[in-house]
Amino acid sequence: MSLHTKGMVCTLAGAVLWGFSGACIQYLLDDVGLAPLALTSIRTLIAGVLYAVLIYTTQHDKLAALSRDPRSIGRIIVFGVFGLFCNQASYAIAIGFTNSGTATVLSSLSIVLVMIVTCTLYRKLPRLQDIGGLVLAMAATFFIATKGDPSVLSIPAIGLFWGFMNAVTVTFYVMFPRKVMERYGSVMVIGGGMLTSGVFSTLVVIVLSALAANGVESSMFPVTIPPISLKFVVGIIVISVVGTFAAYGLFLHGVSIVGGVESTMLGAAEPVSATVFPAILLGTVFVWADWLGLMLMLGTIVLVGLPSKRIPRTTEPEPQP
């Protein structure tokens, strides 16, 4: 298996696990009663501790080198706060206003954003299959958001807003940490970012809880934590270990190999799993437009796997001898 193929496999595996985590989030929000920000705090803190243990036991040299590199530490902190924390918080909030399948498809708009940013920064045209995948991804978003009726928005506007914000955060965490990953590896950067996200989100929850105790509570950002039960514990363990620790590790390791544009295209596997798992495990009802959107997302994955072919540039004809 070539390095590029391994990168694709890791990216797809991470995307599928993210989709599974979407079903877990929907379960914890709707059935258990856990608030989105509280869930974000718990899952990132647990995953961050797991990464810290992994890094301490396996990567002493890189950890020592990073401790002498304040600029890279700063970039990891920014990645943790504006990338991982904002991504997971906006995703959980979007699920709260819609459902896991819809929120995940909306986050797939990151395909558009990553392509635009990449083409702008590197001043090169996209591959033909990237454009095809972009068209399919946009069509999928249309069908999911409108259920096939362009005159009606079938999801709340606030849900659409948070879904788009999640797409923005996906774009950021896919593109921002690549240079640091090239120097210290994906495990070190993801682990540092995850621990930062866990600590930061915990501080946010503490502040919001203190405000709520004094009568200042936000309806959009509640911090409700239900009584501890078996299904609460099992759900937290699954979302923290499988849907956070493993999913982010696999996906961002794949990103470090195949690049931002291709990885976000392969991430189209996430809305497929985020719709199939809730339908099977939670009984969430989806209509024909939802399933059509999923098929279009699968088409995106197929296009990305095709051999590379870029749009030909127009050139001046060579002078005749």
Side-chain angles (χ1 to χ4, degrees), residues 208-219:
L208 291 176
S209 298
L211 291 174
N214 288 279
V216 183
E217 186 173 6
S218 170
S219 59

Side-chain angles (χ1 to χ4, degrees), residues 32 34 42 225-234 236:
V32 178
L34 187 60
I42 295 170
I225 299 179
I228 304 300
S229 62
L230 179 60
K231 61 182 182 180
F232 174 89
V233 173
V234 171
I236 287 297

Side-chain angles (χ1 to χ4, degrees), residues 18-212:
W18 265 339
F20 175 70
S21 77
C24 295
I25 292 172
Q26 185 174 329
Y27 169 75
L28 288 167
L29 297 182
D30 297 342
D31 294 3
V32 178
L34 187 60
L37 288 181
L39 171 58
T40 299
S41 171
I42 295 170
R43 68 184 289 210
T44 53
L45 197 57
I46 292 175
V49 170
L50 292 175
Y51 270 112
V53 172
L54 177 63
I55 290 169
Y56 182 77
T57 55
T58 63
Q59 302 198 20
H60 288 285
D61 294 341
K62 289 183 179 179
L63 186 60
L66 180 62
S67 66
R68 299 187 296 270
D69 187 354
R71 184 173 182 179
S72 293
I73 292 175
R75 292 182 68 87
I76 291 175
I77 292 174
V78 171
F79 167 63
V81 174
F82 295 101
L84 297 183
F85 166 72
C86 290
N87 171 253
Q88 294 183 61
S90 60
Y91 183 51
I93 294 171
I95 289 177
F97 283 111
T98 57
N99 59 62
S100 63
T102 300
T104 307
V105 170
L106 291 175
S107 76
S108 298
L109 288 171
S110 60
I111 296 172
V112 183
L113 302 178
V114 170
M115 184 183 299
I116 292 173
V117 173
T118 300
C119 292
T120 301
L121 289 178
Y122 294 96
R123 298 180 180 178
K124 63 180 181 181
L125 296 173
R127 301 182 305 170
L128 290 175
Q129 58 265 46
D130 289 340
I131 294 178
L134 171 62
V135 172
L136 293 184
M138 293 295 292
T141 304
F142 164 79
F143 282 110
I144 292 292
T146 67
K147 300 298 185 262
D149 184 354
S151 64
V152 178
L153 183 63
S154 297
I155 61 176
I158 189 66
L160 185 62
F161 169 78
W162 283 108
F164 178 75
M165 291 305 297
N166 184 245
V168 173
T169 63
V170 171
T171 303
F172 181 80
Y173 80 64
V174 164
M175 304 196 70
F176 180 78
R178 288 203 66 191
K179 289 185 178 180
V180 186
M181 282 187 180
E182 290 173 0
R183 185 168 185 178
Y184 294 103
S186 58
V187 173
M188 182 70 67
V189 177
I190 298 167
M194 193 67 70
L195 191 59
T196 300
S197 174
V199 172
F200 181 79
S201 58
T202 300
L203 293 175
V204 170
V205 169
I206 291 173
V207 171
L208 291 176
S209 298
L211 291 174

Side-chain angles (χ1 to χ4, degrees), residues 230-277:
L230 179 60
K231 61 182 182 180
F232 174 89
V233 173
V234 171
I236 287 297
I237 291 175
V238 172
I239 190 64
S240 300
V241 177
V242 179
T244 310
F245 177 77
Y248 274 90
L250 287 168
F251 187 84
L252 289 175
H253 180 65
V255 170
S256 67
I257 297 174
V258 302
V261 173
E262 188 169 345
S263 62
T264 51
M265 292 287 187
L266 294 170
E270 183 185 357
V272 177
S273 61
T275 301
V276 171
F277 281 121

